[in-house]
Amino acid sequence: MNHRARLSVAVASMLPIGLGVVLCCLLVAAGTAPAGVVSALAIAVAVQGIITYFRLRRATPTARPPRPTAENSSP
């Protein structure tokens, strides 16, 4: 997986939780949600970021060795 694909996967996985943070911050500012929600969301964002980082950091599978053919196989 190339860098651009990894970046798009990371953004796609962080987008829902990022929108949730914005929404909850607006609700806290309006006074309809308790302030503890913001600290819980900060922890959730950090955990999601760590999970995404380790998931995307995994190495891509190595290429398989070439199969022997009639020309390069030994008798």
Side-chain angles (χ1 to χ4, degrees):
M1 188 183 303
N2 63 16
H3 179 69
R4 176 171 248 147
R6 287 177 188 261
L7 183 62
S8 65
V9 168
V11 169
S13 66
M14 292 299 289
L15 188 63
I17 200 162
L19 291 174
V21 167
V22 171
L23 178 66
C24 285
C25 287
L26 289 173
L27 290 174
V28 168
T32 58
V37 171
V38 176
S39 61
L41 280 174
I43 293 170
V45 169
V47 169
Q48 176 70 26
I50 291 168
I51 290 170
T52 302
Y53 173 76
F54 282 115
R55 188 181 66 185
L56 294 177
R57 199 183 80 168
R58 280 190 245 153
T60 56
T62 57
R64 294 182 189 157
R67 288 192 268 165
T69 60
E71 295 89 30
N72 63 5
S73 63
S74 57

